[in-house]
Amino acid sequence: MLTRQRPGFDWSKLVLNLALPVGGVLVALLIGAIMLLALKANPIVAYSAMISGAAGSLSGVTQSLVKATPLLLVGLGICIAFRANVINIGGEGQITLGAIVATWFPLTFHTWPGWDTDPGHFVAGLPGRAAWGFVPGILKARLKVNEILSTIMMNSIATQFMYLLIRAR
């Protein structure tokens, strides 16, 4: 009787999958330390201040999460685009336009109760983000414009538009 052997666990693949990100972080910390030393700053003091500022208090942790959440969501959207073989570097502009439209919503509908406007922020921001991503998409599909260049330029346009609205009061 022929018995089938179960394939063994590939430890080398596990070690490689863990070592690459850890190695990348260590190399980045080393390069940062060299740059800090070139600036005549103590890297240990700088790194300890960075860690204590980001994770040293409840306020630091919450502020880190507040700042990281939009970046993680943009990264998730870019990962989805990469899966479709589309390069989207316009996440910053798309989130800026989404934020502008999400800010417009409660300013326009200020008489609505709070429980209505809170979900409205999210829902109103979706078309702003989608429209801003649609422009480079249609440029690529119809005119064969490089999506890397168009999305980078759209980021600058979104940022300048936001500055214009801030200054306009």
Side-chain angles (χ1 to χ4, degrees), residues 5 26 28 32 43 49 54 59 67 81 87 125 131 139 148 166 168:
Q5 280 189 321
L26 291 176
S59 173
K67 294 206 182 346
I87 299 172
L139 287 173
I148 297 173
I166 289 171

Coordinates of all heavy atoms in Angstrom, one line a residue, residues 5 26 28 32 43 49 54 59 67 81 87 125 131 139 148 166 168:
Q5 N 2.7 11.1 1.8 CA 3.3 11.9 2.9 C 2.8 13.3 2.8 O 2.6 13.9 1.7 CB 4.9 12.0 2.7 CG 5.5 10.7 3.2 CD 7.0 10.9 3.2 OE1 7.6 11.5 2.3 NE2 7.7 10.5 4.3
L26 N 15.1 47.9 9.9 CA 16.4 48.1 10.5 C 17.4 48.9 9.6 O 18.1 49.8 10.1 CB 17.1 46.7 10.9 CG 16.4 46.0 12.0 CD1 17.1 44.6 12.2 CD2 16.5 46.8 13.3
A28 N 16.3 51.1 7.4 CA 15.8 52.5 7.4 C 16.2 53.2 8.7 O 16.6 54.4 8.7 CB 14.3 52.5 7.3
G32 N 18.6 56.5 8.8 CA 18.2 57.6 9.6 C 19.2 58.0 10.7 O 19.4 59.2 10.9
P43 N 21.1 60.0 17.6 CA 20.0 59.2 17.1 C 19.2 58.5 18.1 O 18.0 58.3 18.0 CB 20.6 58.2 16.1 CG 22.1 58.5 16.1 CD 22.3 59.6 17.1
A49 N 12.5 59.9 21.5 CA 11.5 61.0 21.5 C 10.4 60.7 20.5 O 9.2 60.9 20.8 CB 12.2 62.3 21.1
A54 N 4.9 59.2 20.0 CA 3.8 58.5 19.2 C 3.1 57.5 20.1 O 1.9 57.2 19.9 CB 4.4 57.8 18.0
S59 N -2.9 60.3 24.3 CA -3.1 61.3 23.3 C -2.2 61.0 22.1 O -2.6 61.2 21.0 CB -2.8 62.7 23.9 OG -2.8 63.6 22.9
K67 N -3.8 60.2 12.3 CA -3.0 60.5 11.2 C -2.7 59.3 10.3 O -2.6 59.4 9.1 CB -1.7 61.1 11.6 CG -1.9 62.4 12.3 CD -0.7 63.3 12.2 CE -0.8 64.6 12.9 NZ -2.0 65.2 13.4
A81 N -6.0 49.1 -6.9 CA -5.7 49.5 -8.2 C -4.5 48.7 -8.8 O -4.5 48.3 -10.0 CB -5.3 51.0 -8.2
I87 N -1.7 51.9 -12.2 CA -0.9 52.6 -11.3 C -1.6 53.9 -10.9 O -1.9 54.7 -11.7 CB 0.5 52.9 -11.9 CG1 1.2 51.6 -12.3 CG2 1.3 53.7 -10.9 CD1 2.4 51.7 -13.0
G125 N -18.5 62.3 0.6 CA -17.1 62.3 0.2 C -16.8 61.3 -0.9 O -15.8 61.5 -1.7
A131 N -14.8 61.1 -8.5 CA -14.7 62.0 -9.6 C -13.2 62.4 -9.9 O -12.8 62.5 -11.0 CB -15.5 63.3 -9.4
L139 N -8.7 59.9 -19.0 CA -7.5 60.4 -19.8 C -6.7 59.2 -20.3 O -6.2 59.2 -21.5 CB -6.6 61.3 -19.0 CG -7.2 62.7 -18.7 CD1 -6.3 63.5 -17.8 CD2 -7.4 63.5 -20.0
I148 N 0.5 57.7 -14.3 CA 1.4 58.2 -13.3 C 1.5 59.7 -13.3 O 1.4 60.4 -12.3 CB 2.8 57.5 -13.4 CG1 2.7 56.0 -13.2 CG2 3.8 58.1 -12.4 CD1 4.0 55.3 -13.5
I166 N -9.7 77.5 1.3 CA -9.3 77.9 2.6 C -9.2 79.5 2.7 O -9.7 80.1 3.6 CB -8.1 77.2 3.1 CG1 -8.4 75.8 3.4 CG2 -7.6 77.9 4.4 CD1 -7.2 74.9 3.7
A168 N -10.5 81.6 0.5 CA -11.7 82.3 0.1 C -12.7 82.5 1.2 O -13.6 83.4 1.0 CB -12.4 81.5 -1.0

